[in-house]
């Protein structure tokens, strides 16, 4: 048995972050201010329509859609860490499950809004449902993303219930309404075996359910592209290609979050170098799989060089998108893999830098997937101004693209201020087991 | 020797091709005199110019731009002129009508796309940019077109349609001679012209060769459209259904359940898969919510 003082130390360490301090307020003020600026940009889009963007007849999917794919991708990490690693009994990942789940929930919930920002007439959103066609991957996407948000929310909430009770009991200095909030959410938790069994079983069911749903959300997102005949999208491996790409960006997001929580929330004893080491290895694994899919994705059409594909591949490899393409592949994938093979690089700070490269690379990779294809339609583009042919995002468009990213940061910040970011009860239980 | 000849021939052909292409780009339209002197029976005023503007915006603006703004499509060869310029305005109404009707090189023909009345309205719009223009109206009386009766007679032996054009004047029946006459069959995406544009003979009729293999509807019916254009009686259109096509019964692509069809005609397998997956997830989520209710109940005790 763990002695009481040790338990108290763990509890106070992990609940330490739940308080209002200056750094939190400055950070939130910064986020809210920048968010307001982006909202202003969105208001100009509402007034003037998509004319304020660089989108046109030919490139009608630009950075909004690239952003959407990135969001859905990053949210997939919740499934990998809390479900796949959890079910396979990888105990080291347990302290990271909540971080992953918060990232998953925030990104998946905001992904829907990203799509709305791509609509020139968002008041017609309801038509998507009124005139829904069950045959359309767009409807499937809406359906599975909604499911994933619901399951992720439950998967975040269920293991949180014991901790909510601890929050209510131990955090005596916080305002009463907040304590009541914890009390209501903790559903009369008393730590009985019966209750523990319910949580354990339900979490297990959800963890199993989320695996196919998570695979579905990103496979269906890939089908939005792959179910067309367009060059660069007309691929049978787009589903797995997207899913593995998603794990890459998700792992990077979790590593970045781990670094900040570890330093700012003083959790060095709980998020240890061992966790970084393991996450580094995981990132190498998923990146290698992704690299393999990349090879397939370009090698096969590149070998055959069908007319349409040839234009597209030339443009990516040596044309106007070459700089971005090779930067993404080399700095966002190949070099991170090589560096992370060394144990010295799997330390918190180097991993933060590498993860930032991977995450930025992942975002631009989505751009490389969406935009060049739109610039290469099968019918020749004739007699149009240059800005119809070559897509350049406008400032307004870029600000509107930033908005959901800031919103995700706000959601993650609030959630990790309200709830202990490392499971308290679980950490104590694990220690007791190992003793 | 042969090779020298070949090279020589090639050069000659090449030179001629270049010359010919220049020829076709020249401003010379070679408009027949009787076409050039043709006048509109529609008065050019604000009302017709406005109607013409709508037609212009839809059919002409993409290449010619807005008159007076010099924003025509410069990438075309020859460059479409700005229609408010002297080059266009110095032509007769008949010239403009002929150019719009026949077209040449990059200028398409609007003979079938626009009716005669619509073409004159476009000219009314173009003329509205010329302050010094004075219209000469044609002696054609458009109200007289109502008097004209068109009769179709199909001869199954030689597969010809004879089209008679007669006017029932108060003084008796007048045969329309030398009237321009076109025959069309209605298809899915517009009218298909049958045979050439003919003129009626001295007995007021023209014979059109009708193809033997034109598909009709299930019973072989084809909608025939006749367009007659007479100096005196103006433009007359006549429609008639004739049972002269090949009976064709092809079910439309949207009749059966298919991926591309509406929601109500979605393939069964998609409906079953989609709804059962939603049902499954919903049931699991409801089950989980129920266990949470139980959890709370246990705590209540």
């Amino acid at each position: 048995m763990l002695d009481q003082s040790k338990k108290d130390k763990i509890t106070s360490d992990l609940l330490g972050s739940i308080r209002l301090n200056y750094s939190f307020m400055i950070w939130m003020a910064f986020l809210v201010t920048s968010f307001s600026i982006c909202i202003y940009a969105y208001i100009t889009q509402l007034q003037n329509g998509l004319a304020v963007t660089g989108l046109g007849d030919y490139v009608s999917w630009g950075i909004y859609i690239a952003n959407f794919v990135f969001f859905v991708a990053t949210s997939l990490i919740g499934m990998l860490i809390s479900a796949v690693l959890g079910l396979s009994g990888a105990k080291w990942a347990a302290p990271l499950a909540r971080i992953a789940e918060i990232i998953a929930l925030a990104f998946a919930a905001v992904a829907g809004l990203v799509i709305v920002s791509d609509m020139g007439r968002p008041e017609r959103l309801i038509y998507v449902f009124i005139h829904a066609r069950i045959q359309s991957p767009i409807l499937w996407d809406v359906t599975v993303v909604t499911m994933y948000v619901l399951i992720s929310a439950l998967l975040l909430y269920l293991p949180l219930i014991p901790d909510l009770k601890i929050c209510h009991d131990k955090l005596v200095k916080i305002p009463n309404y907040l304590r009541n909030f914890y009390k209501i959410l903790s559903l009369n938790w008393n730590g009985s075996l019966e209750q523990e069994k319910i949580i354990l079983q339900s979490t297990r069911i959800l963890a199993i359910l989320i695996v196919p749903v998570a695979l579905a959300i990103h496979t269906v997102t890939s089908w939005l592209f792959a179910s067309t005949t367009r060059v660069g999208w007309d691929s049978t491996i787009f589903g797995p290609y997207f899913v593995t790409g998603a794990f890459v960006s998700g792992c990077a997001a979790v590593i970045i979050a781990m670094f900040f929580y570890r330093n700012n929330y003083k959790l060095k004893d709980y998020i240890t170098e061992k966790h970084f080491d393991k996450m580094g290895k995981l990132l190498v694994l998923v990146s290698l799989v992704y690299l393999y899919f990349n090879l397939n994705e370009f090698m096969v059409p590149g070998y055959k060089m069908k007319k349409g594909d040839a234009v597209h591949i030339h443009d990516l490899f040596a044309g106007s998108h070459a700089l971005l393409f090779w930067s993404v592949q080399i700095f966002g994938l190949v070099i991170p893999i090589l560096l992370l093979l060394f144990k010295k690089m799997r330390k918190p700070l180097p991993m933060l830098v590498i993860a930032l490269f991977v995450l930025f690379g992942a975002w631009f990779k989505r751009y490389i997937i969406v935009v060049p294809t739109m610039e290469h339609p099968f019918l020749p583009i004739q007699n149009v101004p240059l800005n119809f042919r070559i897509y350049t995002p406008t400032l307004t468009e870029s600000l509107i693209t930033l908005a959901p990213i800031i919103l995700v940061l706000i959601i993650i910040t609030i959630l990790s201020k309200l709830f202990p970011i490392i499971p308290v009860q679980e950490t104590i239980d694990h220690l007791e087991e190992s003793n | 020797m042969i090779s020298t000849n070949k090279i020589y021939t090639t050069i000659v052909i090449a030179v001629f091709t270049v010359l010919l292409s220049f020829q076709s780009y020249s401003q010379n339209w070679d408009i027949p005199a009787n076409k050039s002197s043709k006048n509109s029976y529609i008065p050019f005023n604000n009302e017709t110019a406005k109607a013409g503007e709508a037609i212009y915006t839809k059919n002409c603006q993409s290449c010619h731009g807005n008159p007076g703004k010099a924003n025509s499509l410069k990438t075309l060869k020859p460059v479409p002129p700005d229609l408010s310029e002297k080059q266009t305005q110095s032509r007769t109404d008949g010239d403009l009508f002929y150019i719009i009707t026949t077209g040449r090189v990059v200028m398409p023909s609007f003979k079938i796309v626009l009716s005669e009345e619509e073409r004159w309205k476009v000219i009314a719009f173009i003329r509205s940019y010329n302050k010094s223009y004075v219209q000469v109206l044609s002696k054609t009386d458009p109200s007289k077109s109502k008097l004209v009766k068109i009769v179709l007679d199909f001869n199954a032996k030689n597969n010809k349609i004879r089209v008679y054009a007669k006017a029932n004047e108060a003084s008796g029946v007048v045969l329309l001679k030398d009237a321009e006459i076109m025959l069309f069959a209605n298809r899915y995406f517009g009218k298909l012209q049958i045979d050439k544009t003919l003129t009626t003979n001295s007995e007021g009729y023209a014979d059109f060769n009708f193809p033997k293999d034109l598909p009709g509807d299930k019973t072989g019916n084809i909608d025939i459209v006749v367009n007659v254009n007479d100096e005196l009686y103006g433009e007359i259109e006549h429609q008639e259904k004739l049972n002269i096509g090949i009976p064709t019964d092809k079910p439309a692509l949207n009749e059966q359940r298919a991926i591309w069809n509406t929601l109500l005609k979605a393939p069964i397998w998609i409906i079953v898969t989609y709804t059962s997956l939603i049902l499954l997830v919903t049931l699991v989520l409801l089950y989980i919510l129920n266990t949470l209710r139980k959890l709370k109940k246990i705590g209540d005790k």
Side-chain angles (χ1 to χ4, degrees), chain B residues 166-185:
Chain B
K166 303 168 194 170
N168 295 316
E169 292 277 4
S171 54
V173 173
V174 178
L175 301 172
L176 269 64
K177 295 166 192 165
D178 282 333
E180 201 170 74
I181 187 158
M182 289 186 284
L183 190 80
F184 304 96

Side-chain angles (χ1 to χ4, degrees), chain A residues 133 135 143 188 195 202 383, chain B residues 75 258-259 261 274 291 295 300:
Chain A
R133 280 180 68 253
Q135 300 100 311
T143 316
N188 296 330
Q195 282 188 329
S202 303
N383 302 325
Chain B
T75 46
I259 287 277
N261 222 325
Y274 181 84
T291 60
L295 184 109
D300 278 339

Side-chain angles (χ1 to χ4, degrees), chain A residues 78-79 82-83 101 150-160 202-204 206-207 210:
Chain A
M79 175 276 258
S82 62
E101 220 38 78
L150 291 176
I151 300 173
S152 291
L154 282 173
L155 210 46
L156 173 65
Y157 175 56
L158 258 58
L160 196 62
S202 303
T203 313
R204 220 178 161 73
L206 286 172
I210 203 168

Side-chain angles (χ1 to χ4, degrees), chain A residues 132-135 139-140 143 147 150-151 154 157-158 161 187-190 192 194-195 198-199 202 205-206 209 213 383, chain B residues 73 75-76 258-263 265-267 270-271 274 277-278 281 284-285 287-288 291-292 295-296 298-300:
Chain A
R133 280 180 68 253
I134 203 173
Q135 300 100 311
L139 184 72
W140 308 342
T143 316
M147 281 177 185
L150 291 176
I151 300 173
L154 282 173
Y157 175 56
L158 258 58
I161 291 173
L187 301 178
N188 296 330
W189 176 263
N190 58 12
S192 66
E194 221 177 337
Q195 282 188 329
I198 287 179
I199 293 284
S202 303
I205 292 172
L206 286 172
L209 182 68
V213 173
N383 302 325
Chain B
L73 198 57
T75 46
L76 288 182
I259 287 277
W260 56 81
N261 222 325
T262 55
L263 174 65
K265 288 182 178 173
I270 285 190
I271 300 176
Y274 181 84
L277 286 178
I278 288 192
V281 173
V284 174
L285 289 182
Y287 170 77
I288 298 288
T291 60
L292 288 181
L295 184 109
K296 193 163 186 290
I298 294 168
D300 278 339

Side-chain angles (χ1 to χ4, degrees), chain A residues 182-395:
Chain A
Y182 287 130
K183 188 176 163 60
I184 293 166
L185 282 185
S186 67
L187 301 178
N188 296 330
W189 176 263
N190 58 12
S192 66
L193 279 176
E194 221 177 337
Q195 282 188 329
E196 265 179 21
K197 203 180 149 201
I198 287 179
I199 293 284
L200 205 70
Q201 269 185 347
S202 303
T203 313
R204 220 178 161 73
I205 292 172
L206 286 172
I208 294 168
L209 182 68
I210 203 168
V211 176
V213 173
L215 287 176
I217 69 167
H218 218 35
T219 308
V220 170
T221 304
S222 85
W223 287 350
L224 298 180
F225 302 92
S227 56
T228 71
T229 57
R230 300 197 63 161
V231 292
W233 294 350
D234 184 7
S235 156
T236 54
I237 62 157
F238 241 42
Y241 177 57
F242 268 47
V243 170
T244 48
F247 291 152
V248 173
S249 65
C251 278
V254 166
I255 290 167
I256 294 167
M258 278 162 65
F259 184 86
F260 281 104
Y261 288 135
R262 179 179 142 100
N263 284 358
N264 295 355
Y265 286 8
K266 304 184 183 66
L267 298 173
K268 288 205 167 75
D269 295 338
Y270 303 90
I271 303 174
T272 60
E273 294 206 346
K274 191 190 93 189
H275 290 111
F276 279 90
D277 186 64
K278 294 265 192 192
M279 279 306 290
K281 285 175 182 165
L282 186 63
L283 183 54
V284 171
L285 173 69
V286 291
S287 298
L288 279 173
V289 180
Y290 191 45
L291 187 69
Y292 163 72
F293 276 117
N294 264 289
L295 199 69
N296 272 278
E297 193 49 30
F298 295 107
M299 172 68 198
V300 175
Y303 189 87
K304 294 179 283 192
M305 281 291 187
K306 286 189 272 186
K307 202 173 172 192
D309 289 334
V311 175
H312 182 69
I313 287 173
H314 274 302
D315 198 28
L316 289 186
F317 282 24
S320 57
H321 293 290
L323 183 66
L324 191 58
F325 177 80
W326 290 113
S327 305
V328 162
Q329 299 288 25
I330 293 169
F331 298 110
L333 201 55
V334 177
I335 293 184
I337 292 175
L338 292 176
L339 289 180
L340 286 174
L341 290 176
F342 298 97
K343 199 171 172 67
K344 267 188 191 164
M345 285 292 159
R346 294 197 298 270
K347 302 282 172 205
L349 191 64
M351 277 197 42
L352 173 74
V353 178
I354 292 170
L356 281 170
F357 268 92
V358 172
L359 198 69
F360 276 101
W363 194 92
F364 284 105
K365 183 68 202 278
R366 305 311 183 273
Y367 182 92
I368 285 289
I369 290 172
V370 175
V371 173
T373 292
M374 293 240 97
E375 287 179 355
H376 305 133
F378 283 118
L379 290 175
I381 303 178
Q382 286 176 328
N383 302 325
V384 296
L386 192 68
N387 63 334
F388 277 42
R389 245 173 228 269
I390 294 166
Y391 167 73
T392 324
T394 62
L395 177 66

